[in-house]
Amino acid sequence: MENSKVLIVMGSRSDLPAMEGCMKQLDEFKIGYTVRILSAHRTPETVIELSENARKSGYEVIIAAAGGAAHLAGVLASSTILPVIGIPIQTSALGGMDSLLSTVQMPGGVPVATVAIGKAGPKNAAILAAQIMALHDPKLADTLTAFKKAQAKAVLEDSYLN
């Protein structure tokens, strides 16, 4: 997609409900994104091709969400110099621990930044992507500064029990 800065790749269409928080947060920051649904195991050639071409397609960050044997983020990270943020999707079998360990246990030289299992993970992935891009985008840096101040204000306003 034109003007997309973030490439979101999900291992399965069933991951879409879990990823809504990520897309909503990117929308709030007015960051364009493209969503693809590809499997590291069933479509590895397409995943690698997408990753290899992501930078020249204008993407700045890749967010990868997968459950179970969650190798998607690692496969993407293996074939790009772009930062890759992995989101371990909660599973029914092991509650997402399988996804977490598959995402976070990368060999040296193939880094994947990994966020939490559950609702916080997708939202934090979007915020982390924005923080990475804000390093060279002053307007986005201002947006993030305002976001952080608003979060602090909301906590402080609700900090008294009586």
Side-chain angles (χ1 to χ4, degrees), residues 22-62:
C22 179
M23 293 178 281
K24 181 180 177 192
Q25 189 65 63
L26 290 171
D27 288 339
E28 287 177 19
F29 290 150
K30 296 180 178 25
I31 297 173
Y33 56 89
T34 301
V35 179
R36 294 291 309 269
I37 299 170
L38 296 169
S39 168
H41 303 108
R42 294 182 182 95
T43 59
E45 296 88 1
T46 306
V47 170
I48 290 171
E49 181 182 349
L50 181 66
S51 182
E52 289 175 339
N53 294 310
R55 187 169 178 228
K56 69 181 171 188
S57 297
Y59 297 109
E60 297 179 20
V61 178
I62 299 173

PDB file of all heavy atoms in Angstrom, residues 22-62:
ATOM      1  N   CYS A  22      -3.185  -3.566  17.632  1.00  0.00           N
ATOM      2  CA  CYS A  22      -2.004  -3.060  16.931  1.00  0.00           C
ATOM      3  C   CYS A  22      -2.428  -2.085  15.834  1.00  0.00           C
ATOM      4  O   CYS A  22      -1.909  -0.966  15.743  1.00  0.00           O
ATOM      5  CB  CYS A  22      -1.225  -4.228  16.333  1.00  0.00           C
ATOM      6  SG  CYS A  22       0.246  -3.752  15.401  1.00  0.00           S
ATOM      7  N   MET A  23      -3.358  -2.509  15.030  1.00  0.00           N
ATOM      8  CA  MET A  23      -3.804  -1.671  13.914  1.00  0.00           C
ATOM      9  C   MET A  23      -4.498  -0.407  14.421  1.00  0.00           C
ATOM     10  O   MET A  23      -4.292   0.676  13.870  1.00  0.00           O
ATOM     11  CB  MET A  23      -4.700  -2.486  12.985  1.00  0.00           C
ATOM     12  CG  MET A  23      -3.914  -3.584  12.278  1.00  0.00           C
ATOM     13  SD  MET A  23      -4.905  -4.629  11.203  1.00  0.00           S
ATOM     14  CE  MET A  23      -5.671  -5.703  12.396  1.00  0.00           C
ATOM     15  N   LYS A  24      -5.285  -0.529  15.478  1.00  0.00           N
ATOM     16  CA  LYS A  24      -5.957   0.638  16.060  1.00  0.00           C
ATOM     17  C   LYS A  24      -4.929   1.647  16.560  1.00  0.00           C
ATOM     18  O   LYS A  24      -5.070   2.855  16.335  1.00  0.00           O
ATOM     19  CB  LYS A  24      -6.878   0.197  17.197  1.00  0.00           C
ATOM     20  CG  LYS A  24      -7.627   1.337  17.843  1.00  0.00           C
ATOM     21  CD  LYS A  24      -8.530   0.860  18.974  1.00  0.00           C
ATOM     22  CE  LYS A  24      -9.198   2.060  19.626  1.00  0.00           C
ATOM     23  NZ  LYS A  24      -9.851   1.705  20.876  1.00  0.00           N
ATOM     24  N   GLN A  25      -3.871   1.158  17.222  1.00  0.00           N
ATOM     25  CA  GLN A  25      -2.842   2.063  17.739  1.00  0.00           C
ATOM     26  C   GLN A  25      -2.098   2.747  16.598  1.00  0.00           C
ATOM     27  O   GLN A  25      -1.826   3.945  16.655  1.00  0.00           O
ATOM     28  CB  GLN A  25      -1.864   1.303  18.635  1.00  0.00           C
ATOM     29  CG  GLN A  25      -0.910   2.208  19.383  1.00  0.00           C
ATOM     30  CD  GLN A  25      -1.627   3.099  20.383  1.00  0.00           C
ATOM     31  OE1 GLN A  25      -2.236   2.616  21.323  1.00  0.00           O
ATOM     32  NE2 GLN A  25      -1.564   4.393  20.175  1.00  0.00           N
ATOM     33  N   LEU A  26      -1.777   2.010  15.553  1.00  0.00           N
ATOM     34  CA  LEU A  26      -1.127   2.624  14.390  1.00  0.00           C
ATOM     35  C   LEU A  26      -2.039   3.673  13.755  1.00  0.00           C
ATOM     36  O   LEU A  26      -1.578   4.754  13.358  1.00  0.00           O
ATOM     37  CB  LEU A  26      -0.728   1.565  13.370  1.00  0.00           C
ATOM     38  CG  LEU A  26       0.423   0.641  13.787  1.00  0.00           C
ATOM     39  CD1 LEU A  26       0.571  -0.503  12.803  1.00  0.00           C
ATOM     40  CD2 LEU A  26       1.725   1.404  13.936  1.00  0.00           C
ATOM     41  N   ASP A  27      -3.333   3.365  13.682  1.00  0.00           N
ATOM     42  CA  ASP A  27      -4.296   4.343  13.152  1.00  0.00           C
ATOM     43  C   ASP A  27      -4.303   5.615  13.995  1.00  0.00           C
ATOM     44  O   ASP A  27      -4.332   6.724  13.458  1.00  0.00           O
ATOM     45  CB  ASP A  27      -5.718   3.754  13.113  1.00  0.00           C
ATOM     46  CG  ASP A  27      -5.910   2.705  12.030  1.00  0.00           C
ATOM     47  OD1 ASP A  27      -5.132   2.689  11.056  1.00  0.00           O
ATOM     48  OD2 ASP A  27      -6.845   1.885  12.171  1.00  0.00           O
ATOM     49  N   GLU A  28      -4.278   5.452  15.313  1.00  0.00           N
ATOM     50  CA  GLU A  28      -4.282   6.616  16.208  1.00  0.00           C
ATOM     51  C   GLU A  28      -3.037   7.483  16.010  1.00  0.00           C
ATOM     52  O   GLU A  28      -3.102   8.697  16.136  1.00  0.00           O
ATOM     53  CB  GLU A  28      -4.409   6.167  17.667  1.00  0.00           C
ATOM     54  CG  GLU A  28      -5.792   5.664  18.012  1.00  0.00           C
ATOM     55  CD  GLU A  28      -5.917   5.150  19.444  1.00  0.00           C
ATOM     56  OE1 GLU A  28      -5.057   5.488  20.286  1.00  0.00           O
ATOM     57  OE2 GLU A  28      -6.881   4.407  19.707  1.00  0.00           O
ATOM     58  N   PHE A  29      -1.919   6.850  15.693  1.00  0.00           N
ATOM     59  CA  PHE A  29      -0.678   7.589  15.430  1.00  0.00           C
ATOM     60  C   PHE A  29      -0.605   8.079  13.978  1.00  0.00           C
ATOM     61  O   PHE A  29       0.367   8.709  13.589  1.00  0.00           O
ATOM     62  CB  PHE A  29       0.544   6.725  15.729  1.00  0.00           C
ATOM     63  CG  PHE A  29       0.776   6.432  17.177  1.00  0.00           C
ATOM     64  CD1 PHE A  29       1.390   5.248  17.552  1.00  0.00           C
ATOM     65  CD2 PHE A  29       0.426   7.320  18.182  1.00  0.00           C
ATOM     66  CE1 PHE A  29       1.644   4.948  18.887  1.00  0.00           C
ATOM     67  CE2 PHE A  29       0.665   7.038  19.523  1.00  0.00           C
ATOM     68  CZ  PHE A  29       1.277   5.847  19.870  1.00  0.00           C
ATOM     69  N   LYS A  30      -1.621   7.719  13.184  1.00  0.00           N
ATOM     70  CA  LYS A  30      -1.663   8.065  11.762  1.00  0.00           C
ATOM     71  C   LYS A  30      -0.451   7.496  11.006  1.00  0.00           C
ATOM     72  O   LYS A  30       0.153   8.159  10.164  1.00  0.00           O
ATOM     73  CB  LYS A  30      -1.779   9.577  11.570  1.00  0.00           C
ATOM     74  CG  LYS A  30      -3.076  10.141  12.129  1.00  0.00           C
ATOM     75  CD  LYS A  30      -3.169  11.638  11.940  1.00  0.00           C
ATOM     76  CE  LYS A  30      -4.445  12.265  12.416  1.00  0.00           C
ATOM     77  NZ  LYS A  30      -5.230  11.664  13.417  1.00  0.00           N
ATOM     78  N   ILE A  31      -0.136   6.259  11.318  1.00  0.00           N
ATOM     79  CA  ILE A  31       0.944   5.532  10.646  1.00  0.00           C
ATOM     80  C   ILE A  31       0.304   4.528   9.688  1.00  0.00           C
ATOM     81  O   ILE A  31      -0.489   3.683  10.099  1.00  0.00           O
ATOM     82  CB  ILE A  31       1.839   4.793  11.665  1.00  0.00           C
ATOM     83  CG1 ILE A  31       2.534   5.801  12.586  1.00  0.00           C
ATOM     84  CG2 ILE A  31       2.850   3.903  10.949  1.00  0.00           C
ATOM     85  CD1 ILE A  31       3.298   5.168  13.729  1.00  0.00           C
ATOM     86  N   GLY A  32       0.674   4.622   8.428  1.00  0.00           N
ATOM     87  CA  GLY A  32       0.145   3.699   7.431  1.00  0.00           C
ATOM     88  C   GLY A  32       0.766   2.319   7.555  1.00  0.00           C
ATOM     89  O   GLY A  32       1.928   2.176   7.933  1.00  0.00           O
ATOM     90  N   TYR A  33      -0.019   1.303   7.244  1.00  0.00           N
ATOM     91  CA  TYR A  33       0.466  -0.068   7.331  1.00  0.00           C
ATOM     92  C   TYR A  33      -0.205  -0.936   6.282  1.00  0.00           C
ATOM     93  O   TYR A  33      -1.271  -0.604   5.765  1.00  0.00           O
ATOM     94  CB  TYR A  33       0.224  -0.655   8.729  1.00  0.00           C
ATOM     95  CG  TYR A  33      -1.220  -0.615   9.174  1.00  0.00           C
ATOM     96  CD1 TYR A  33      -2.097  -1.663   8.881  1.00  0.00           C
ATOM     97  CD2 TYR A  33      -1.709   0.469   9.887  1.00  0.00           C
ATOM     98  CE1 TYR A  33      -3.420  -1.619   9.284  1.00  0.00           C
ATOM     99  CE2 TYR A  33      -3.028   0.518  10.297  1.00  0.00           C
ATOM    100  CZ  TYR A  33      -3.883  -0.522   9.991  1.00  0.00           C
ATOM    101  OH  TYR A  33      -5.198  -0.466  10.387  1.00  0.00           O
ATOM    102  N   THR A  34       0.448  -2.022   5.989  1.00  0.00           N
ATOM    103  CA  THR A  34      -0.077  -3.052   5.097  1.00  0.00           C
ATOM    104  C   THR A  34      -0.143  -4.339   5.893  1.00  0.00           C
ATOM    105  O   THR A  34       0.773  -4.635   6.662  1.00  0.00           O
ATOM    106  CB  THR A  34       0.859  -3.249   3.884  1.00  0.00           C
ATOM    107  OG1 THR A  34       0.974  -2.020   3.188  1.00  0.00           O
ATOM    108  CG2 THR A  34       0.339  -4.319   2.949  1.00  0.00           C
ATOM    109  N   VAL A  35      -1.199  -5.101   5.715  1.00  0.00           N
ATOM    110  CA  VAL A  35      -1.360  -6.374   6.412  1.00  0.00           C
ATOM    111  C   VAL A  35      -1.320  -7.512   5.397  1.00  0.00           C
ATOM    112  O   VAL A  35      -2.034  -7.483   4.400  1.00  0.00           O
ATOM    113  CB  VAL A  35      -2.694  -6.430   7.197  1.00  0.00           C
ATOM    114  CG1 VAL A  35      -2.850  -7.779   7.884  1.00  0.00           C
ATOM    115  CG2 VAL A  35      -2.786  -5.296   8.197  1.00  0.00           C
ATOM    116  N   ARG A  36      -0.469  -8.495   5.690  1.00  0.00           N
ATOM    117  CA  ARG A  36      -0.410  -9.712   4.884  1.00  0.00           C
ATOM    118  C   ARG A  36      -0.610 -10.904   5.805  1.00  0.00           C
ATOM    119  O   ARG A  36      -0.220 -10.869   6.973  1.00  0.00           O
ATOM    120  CB  ARG A  36       0.964  -9.851   4.203  1.00  0.00           C
ATOM    121  CG  ARG A  36       1.295  -8.814   3.163  1.00  0.00           C
ATOM    122  CD  ARG A  36       0.460  -8.913   1.890  1.00  0.00           C
ATOM    123  NE  ARG A  36       0.418 -10.225   1.290  1.00  0.00           N
ATOM    124  CZ  ARG A  36       1.261 -10.678   0.364  1.00  0.00           C
ATOM    125  NH1 ARG A  36       2.239  -9.905  -0.072  1.00  0.00           N
ATOM    126  NH2 ARG A  36       1.137 -11.907  -0.128  1.00  0.00           N
ATOM    127  N   ILE A  37      -1.209 -11.952   5.280  1.00  0.00           N
ATOM    128  CA  ILE A  37      -1.383 -13.198   6.023  1.00  0.00           C
ATOM    129  C   ILE A  37      -0.608 -14.273   5.272  1.00  0.00           C
ATOM    130  O   ILE A  37      -0.980 -14.674   4.170  1.00  0.00           O
ATOM    131  CB  ILE A  37      -2.875 -13.562   6.166  1.00  0.00           C
ATOM    132  CG1 ILE A  37      -3.589 -12.449   6.930  1.00  0.00           C
ATOM    133  CG2 ILE A  37      -3.028 -14.912   6.858  1.00  0.00           C
ATOM    134  CD1 ILE A  37      -5.093 -12.551   6.933  1.00  0.00           C
ATOM    135  N   LEU A  38       0.498 -14.677   5.881  1.00  0.00           N
ATOM    136  CA  LEU A  38       1.396 -15.651   5.265  1.00  0.00           C
ATOM    137  C   LEU A  38       1.935 -16.589   6.340  1.00  0.00           C
ATOM    138  O   LEU A  38       2.094 -16.190   7.490  1.00  0.00           O
ATOM    139  CB  LEU A  38       2.582 -14.942   4.589  1.00  0.00           C
ATOM    140  CG  LEU A  38       2.235 -14.028   3.419  1.00  0.00           C
ATOM    141  CD1 LEU A  38       3.444 -13.192   3.031  1.00  0.00           C
ATOM    142  CD2 LEU A  38       1.738 -14.844   2.233  1.00  0.00           C
ATOM    143  N   SER A  39       2.264 -17.774   5.952  1.00  0.00           N
ATOM    144  CA  SER A  39       2.770 -18.771   6.880  1.00  0.00           C
ATOM    145  C   SER A  39       4.258 -19.010   6.660  1.00  0.00           C
ATOM    146  O   SER A  39       4.688 -19.247   5.521  1.00  0.00           O
ATOM    147  CB  SER A  39       2.007 -20.088   6.678  1.00  0.00           C
ATOM    148  OG  SER A  39       2.647 -21.144   7.356  1.00  0.00           O
ATOM    149  N   ALA A  40       5.017 -18.972   7.743  1.00  0.00           N
ATOM    150  CA  ALA A  40       6.452 -19.276   7.655  1.00  0.00           C
ATOM    151  C   ALA A  40       6.679 -20.716   7.224  1.00  0.00           C
ATOM    152  O   ALA A  40       7.697 -21.036   6.611  1.00  0.00           O
ATOM    153  CB  ALA A  40       7.122 -19.025   9.004  1.00  0.00           C
ATOM    154  N   HIS A  41       5.711 -21.573   7.505  1.00  0.00           N
ATOM    155  CA  HIS A  41       5.862 -22.998   7.202  1.00  0.00           C
ATOM    156  C   HIS A  41       5.214 -23.407   5.884  1.00  0.00           C
ATOM    157  O   HIS A  41       5.718 -24.298   5.209  1.00  0.00           O
ATOM    158  CB  HIS A  41       5.268 -23.828   8.349  1.00  0.00           C
ATOM    159  CG  HIS A  41       5.895 -23.512   9.656  1.00  0.00           C
ATOM    160  ND1 HIS A  41       5.249 -22.810  10.638  1.00  0.00           N
ATOM    161  CD2 HIS A  41       7.133 -23.764  10.133  1.00  0.00           C
ATOM    162  CE1 HIS A  41       6.055 -22.663  11.675  1.00  0.00           C
ATOM    163  NE2 HIS A  41       7.205 -23.223  11.395  1.00  0.00           N
ATOM    164  N   ARG A  42       4.122 -22.762   5.518  1.00  0.00           N
ATOM    165  CA  ARG A  42       3.399 -23.155   4.302  1.00  0.00           C
ATOM    166  C   ARG A  42       3.747 -22.298   3.089  1.00  0.00           C
ATOM    167  O   ARG A  42       3.575 -22.738   1.954  1.00  0.00           O
ATOM    168  CB  ARG A  42       1.898 -23.118   4.563  1.00  0.00           C
ATOM    169  CG  ARG A  42       1.468 -24.161   5.585  1.00  0.00           C
ATOM    170  CD  ARG A  42      -0.040 -24.156   5.801  1.00  0.00           C
ATOM    171  NE  ARG A  42      -0.400 -25.121   6.815  1.00  0.00           N
ATOM    172  CZ  ARG A  42      -0.575 -24.831   8.102  1.00  0.00           C
ATOM    173  NH1 ARG A  42      -0.425 -23.594   8.540  1.00  0.00           N
ATOM    174  NH2 ARG A  42      -0.901 -25.774   8.963  1.00  0.00           N
ATOM    175  N   THR A  43       4.218 -21.069   3.328  1.00  0.00           N
ATOM    176  CA  THR A  43       4.584 -20.165   2.222  1.00  0.00           C
ATOM    177  C   THR A  43       5.944 -19.507   2.496  1.00  0.00           C
ATOM    178  O   THR A  43       6.073 -18.286   2.412  1.00  0.00           O
ATOM    179  CB  THR A  43       3.502 -19.085   2.008  1.00  0.00           C
ATOM    180  OG1 THR A  43       3.355 -18.321   3.222  1.00  0.00           O
ATOM    181  CG2 THR A  43       2.170 -19.677   1.609  1.00  0.00           C
ATOM    182  N   PRO A  44       6.965 -20.287   2.827  1.00  0.00           N
ATOM    183  CA  PRO A  44       8.242 -19.682   3.218  1.00  0.00           C
ATOM    184  C   PRO A  44       8.884 -18.830   2.125  1.00  0.00           C
ATOM    185  O   PRO A  44       9.478 -17.790   2.423  1.00  0.00           O
ATOM    186  CB  PRO A  44       9.119 -20.882   3.588  1.00  0.00           C
ATOM    187  CG  PRO A  44       8.511 -22.045   2.866  1.00  0.00           C
ATOM    188  CD  PRO A  44       7.042 -21.748   2.827  1.00  0.00           C
ATOM    189  N   GLU A  45       8.775 -19.244   0.872  1.00  0.00           N
ATOM    190  CA  GLU A  45       9.380 -18.465  -0.212  1.00  0.00           C
ATOM    191  C   GLU A  45       8.746 -17.088  -0.313  1.00  0.00           C
ATOM    192  O   GLU A  45       9.438 -16.080  -0.497  1.00  0.00           O
ATOM    193  CB  GLU A  45       9.258 -19.198  -1.561  1.00  0.00           C
ATOM    194  CG  GLU A  45      10.003 -20.515  -1.630  1.00  0.00           C
ATOM    195  CD  GLU A  45       9.168 -21.694  -1.146  1.00  0.00           C
ATOM    196  OE1 GLU A  45       7.972 -21.520  -0.769  1.00  0.00           O
ATOM    197  OE2 GLU A  45       9.716 -22.812  -1.109  1.00  0.00           O
ATOM    198  N   THR A  46       7.437 -17.012  -0.163  1.00  0.00           N
ATOM    199  CA  THR A  46       6.735 -15.728  -0.234  1.00  0.00           C
ATOM    200  C   THR A  46       7.098 -14.852   0.955  1.00  0.00           C
ATOM    201  O   THR A  46       7.273 -13.639   0.812  1.00  0.00           O
ATOM    202  CB  THR A  46       5.208 -15.954  -0.299  1.00  0.00           C
ATOM    203  OG1 THR A  46       4.927 -16.834  -1.393  1.00  0.00           O
ATOM    204  CG2 THR A  46       4.469 -14.642  -0.507  1.00  0.00           C
ATOM    205  N   VAL A  47       7.215 -15.447   2.136  1.00  0.00           N
ATOM    206  CA  VAL A  47       7.598 -14.695   3.331  1.00  0.00           C
ATOM    207  C   VAL A  47       8.983 -14.090   3.138  1.00  0.00           C
ATOM    208  O   VAL A  47       9.198 -12.894   3.396  1.00  0.00           O
ATOM    209  CB  VAL A  47       7.559 -15.592   4.592  1.00  0.00           C
ATOM    210  CG1 VAL A  47       8.181 -14.891   5.792  1.00  0.00           C
ATOM    211  CG2 VAL A  47       6.126 -16.005   4.903  1.00  0.00           C
ATOM    212  N   ILE A  48       9.923 -14.875   2.655  1.00  0.00           N
ATOM    213  CA  ILE A  48      11.286 -14.378   2.452  1.00  0.00           C
ATOM    214  C   ILE A  48      11.323 -13.309   1.365  1.00  0.00           C
ATOM    215  O   ILE A  48      11.981 -12.278   1.522  1.00  0.00           O
ATOM    216  CB  ILE A  48      12.251 -15.545   2.156  1.00  0.00           C
ATOM    217  CG1 ILE A  48      12.423 -16.379   3.434  1.00  0.00           C
ATOM    218  CG2 ILE A  48      13.596 -15.033   1.647  1.00  0.00           C
ATOM    219  CD1 ILE A  48      13.174 -17.675   3.248  1.00  0.00           C
ATOM    220  N   GLU A  49      10.611 -13.522   0.298  1.00  0.00           N
ATOM    221  CA  GLU A  49      10.561 -12.522  -0.775  1.00  0.00           C
ATOM    222  C   GLU A  49       9.982 -11.204  -0.262  1.00  0.00           C
ATOM    223  O   GLU A  49      10.503 -10.124  -0.552  1.00  0.00           O
ATOM    224  CB  GLU A  49       9.730 -13.045  -1.948  1.00  0.00           C
ATOM    225  CG  GLU A  49       9.645 -12.077  -3.111  1.00  0.00           C
ATOM    226  CD  GLU A  49       8.775 -12.596  -4.247  1.00  0.00           C
ATOM    227  OE1 GLU A  49       8.394 -13.778  -4.242  1.00  0.00           O
ATOM    228  OE2 GLU A  49       8.466 -11.788  -5.136  1.00  0.00           O
ATOM    229  N   LEU A  50       8.917 -11.277   0.515  1.00  0.00           N
ATOM    230  CA  LEU A  50       8.311 -10.080   1.101  1.00  0.00           C
ATOM    231  C   LEU A  50       9.312  -9.350   1.986  1.00  0.00           C
ATOM    232  O   LEU A  50       9.466  -8.127   1.910  1.00  0.00           O
ATOM    233  CB  LEU A  50       7.069 -10.474   1.900  1.00  0.00           C
ATOM    234  CG  LEU A  50       6.281  -9.350   2.564  1.00  0.00           C
ATOM    235  CD1 LEU A  50       5.648  -8.441   1.512  1.00  0.00           C
ATOM    236  CD2 LEU A  50       5.210  -9.934   3.476  1.00  0.00           C
ATOM    237  N   SER A  51      10.007 -10.102   2.815  1.00  0.00           N
ATOM    238  CA  SER A  51      10.991  -9.521   3.721  1.00  0.00           C
ATOM    239  C   SER A  51      12.161  -8.897   2.965  1.00  0.00           C
ATOM    240  O   SER A  51      12.607  -7.796   3.277  1.00  0.00           O
ATOM    241  CB  SER A  51      11.488 -10.603   4.682  1.00  0.00           C
ATOM    242  OG  SER A  51      12.401 -10.082   5.595  1.00  0.00           O
ATOM    243  N   GLU A  52      12.660  -9.606   1.975  1.00  0.00           N
ATOM    244  CA  GLU A  52      13.786  -9.092   1.188  1.00  0.00           C
ATOM    245  C   GLU A  52      13.447  -7.788   0.475  1.00  0.00           C
ATOM    246  O   GLU A  52      14.324  -6.942   0.275  1.00  0.00           O
ATOM    247  CB  GLU A  52      14.230 -10.131   0.154  1.00  0.00           C
ATOM    248  CG  GLU A  52      14.930 -11.319   0.751  1.00  0.00           C
ATOM    249  CD  GLU A  52      15.251 -12.404  -0.264  1.00  0.00           C
ATOM    250  OE1 GLU A  52      14.617 -12.456  -1.348  1.00  0.00           O
ATOM    251  OE2 GLU A  52      16.150 -13.216   0.033  1.00  0.00           O
ATOM    252  N   ASN A  53      12.197  -7.615   0.090  1.00  0.00           N
ATOM    253  CA  ASN A  53      11.776  -6.430  -0.660  1.00  0.00           C
ATOM    254  C   ASN A  53      11.121  -5.353   0.193  1.00  0.00           C
ATOM    255  O   ASN A  53      10.749  -4.298  -0.320  1.00  0.00           O
ATOM    256  CB  ASN A  53      10.827  -6.845  -1.786  1.00  0.00           C
ATOM    257  CG  ASN A  53      11.530  -7.689  -2.819  1.00  0.00           C
ATOM    258  OD1 ASN A  53      12.591  -7.323  -3.314  1.00  0.00           O
ATOM    259  ND2 ASN A  53      10.962  -8.844  -3.137  1.00  0.00           N
ATOM    260  N   ALA A  54      10.966  -5.593   1.471  1.00  0.00           N
ATOM    261  CA  ALA A  54      10.226  -4.672   2.340  1.00  0.00           C
ATOM    262  C   ALA A  54      10.856  -3.285   2.387  1.00  0.00           C
ATOM    263  O   ALA A  54      10.157  -2.272   2.290  1.00  0.00           O
ATOM    264  CB  ALA A  54      10.096  -5.247   3.748  1.00  0.00           C
ATOM    265  N   ARG A  55      12.148  -3.214   2.523  1.00  0.00           N
ATOM    266  CA  ARG A  55      12.816  -1.910   2.642  1.00  0.00           C
ATOM    267  C   ARG A  55      12.659  -1.096   1.368  1.00  0.00           C
ATOM    268  O   ARG A  55      12.308   0.083   1.419  1.00  0.00           O
ATOM    269  CB  ARG A  55      14.287  -2.118   2.982  1.00  0.00           C
ATOM    270  CG  ARG A  55      15.007  -0.819   3.283  1.00  0.00           C
ATOM    271  CD  ARG A  55      16.375  -1.099   3.869  1.00  0.00           C
ATOM    272  NE  ARG A  55      17.067   0.136   4.114  1.00  0.00           N
ATOM    273  CZ  ARG A  55      18.306   0.386   3.749  1.00  0.00           C
ATOM    274  NH1 ARG A  55      19.008  -0.554   3.115  1.00  0.00           N
ATOM    275  NH2 ARG A  55      18.866   1.535   4.011  1.00  0.00           N
ATOM    276  N   LYS A  56      12.903  -1.714   0.218  1.00  0.00           N
ATOM    277  CA  LYS A  56      12.778  -0.948  -1.023  1.00  0.00           C
ATOM    278  C   LYS A  56      11.313  -0.650  -1.356  1.00  0.00           C
ATOM    279  O   LYS A  56      11.041   0.238  -2.157  1.00  0.00           O
ATOM    280  CB  LYS A  56      13.506  -1.616  -2.186  1.00  0.00           C
ATOM    281  CG  LYS A  56      12.926  -2.899  -2.682  1.00  0.00           C
ATOM    282  CD  LYS A  56      13.788  -3.433  -3.825  1.00  0.00           C
ATOM    283  CE  LYS A  56      13.362  -4.832  -4.213  1.00  0.00           C
ATOM    284  NZ  LYS A  56      14.275  -5.439  -5.166  1.00  0.00           N
ATOM    285  N   SER A  57      10.391  -1.325  -0.693  1.00  0.00           N
ATOM    286  CA  SER A  57       8.967  -1.009  -0.842  1.00  0.00           C
ATOM    287  C   SER A  57       8.534   0.140   0.059  1.00  0.00           C
ATOM    288  O   SER A  57       7.379   0.536   0.048  1.00  0.00           O
ATOM    289  CB  SER A  57       8.120  -2.246  -0.545  1.00  0.00           C
ATOM    290  OG  SER A  57       8.391  -3.268  -1.484  1.00  0.00           O
ATOM    291  N   GLY A  58       9.463   0.654   0.872  1.00  0.00           N
ATOM    292  CA  GLY A  58       9.186   1.815   1.711  1.00  0.00           C
ATOM    293  C   GLY A  58       8.827   1.526   3.151  1.00  0.00           C
ATOM    294  O   GLY A  58       8.553   2.440   3.929  1.00  0.00           O
ATOM    295  N   TYR A  59       8.836   0.266   3.535  1.00  0.00           N
ATOM    296  CA  TYR A  59       8.539  -0.067   4.924  1.00  0.00           C
ATOM    297  C   TYR A  59       9.737   0.269   5.800  1.00  0.00           C
ATOM    298  O   TYR A  59      10.883   0.190   5.367  1.00  0.00           O
ATOM    299  CB  TYR A  59       8.187  -1.548   5.071  1.00  0.00           C
ATOM    300  CG  TYR A  59       6.949  -1.928   4.307  1.00  0.00           C
ATOM    301  CD1 TYR A  59       7.032  -2.720   3.169  1.00  0.00           C
ATOM    302  CD2 TYR A  59       5.706  -1.468   4.709  1.00  0.00           C
ATOM    303  CE1 TYR A  59       5.898  -3.058   2.451  1.00  0.00           C
ATOM    304  CE2 TYR A  59       4.565  -1.804   3.992  1.00  0.00           C
ATOM    305  CZ  TYR A  59       4.660  -2.597   2.860  1.00  0.00           C
ATOM    306  OH  TYR A  59       3.546  -2.914   2.155  1.00  0.00           O
ATOM    307  N   GLU A  60       9.453   0.643   7.049  1.00  0.00           N
ATOM    308  CA  GLU A  60      10.507   0.980   8.000  1.00  0.00           C
ATOM    309  C   GLU A  60      10.598  -0.025   9.133  1.00  0.00           C
ATOM    310  O   GLU A  60      11.648  -0.160   9.758  1.00  0.00           O
ATOM    311  CB  GLU A  60      10.265   2.384   8.559  1.00  0.00           C
ATOM    312  CG  GLU A  60      10.337   3.455   7.495  1.00  0.00           C
ATOM    313  CD  GLU A  60      10.077   4.845   8.032  1.00  0.00           C
ATOM    314  OE1 GLU A  60      10.213   5.067   9.254  1.00  0.00           O
ATOM    315  OE2 GLU A  60       9.736   5.722   7.222  1.00  0.00           O
ATOM    316  N   VAL A  61       9.506  -0.703   9.424  1.00  0.00           N
ATOM    317  CA  VAL A  61       9.444  -1.678  10.514  1.00  0.00           C
ATOM    318  C   VAL A  61       8.516  -2.809  10.075  1.00  0.00           C
ATOM    319  O   VAL A  61       7.511  -2.571   9.397  1.00  0.00           O
ATOM    320  CB  VAL A  61       8.894  -1.045  11.821  1.00  0.00           C
ATOM    321  CG1 VAL A  61       8.788  -2.075  12.927  1.00  0.00           C
ATOM    322  CG2 VAL A  61       9.750   0.128  12.269  1.00  0.00           C
ATOM    323  N   ILE A  62       8.845  -4.021  10.500  1.00  0.00           N
ATOM    324  CA  ILE A  62       7.980  -5.179  10.261  1.00  0.00           C
ATOM    325  C   ILE A  62       7.468  -5.664  11.611  1.00  0.00           C
ATOM    326  O   ILE A  62       8.240  -5.819  12.558  1.00  0.00           O
ATOM    327  CB  ILE A  62       8.728  -6.317   9.549  1.00  0.00           C
ATOM    328  CG1 ILE A  62       9.230  -5.846   8.173  1.00  0.00           C
ATOM    329  CG2 ILE A  62       7.831  -7.552   9.415  1.00  0.00           C
ATOM    330  CD1 ILE A  62      10.125  -6.847   7.471  1.00  0.00           C
TER     331      ILE A  62
END
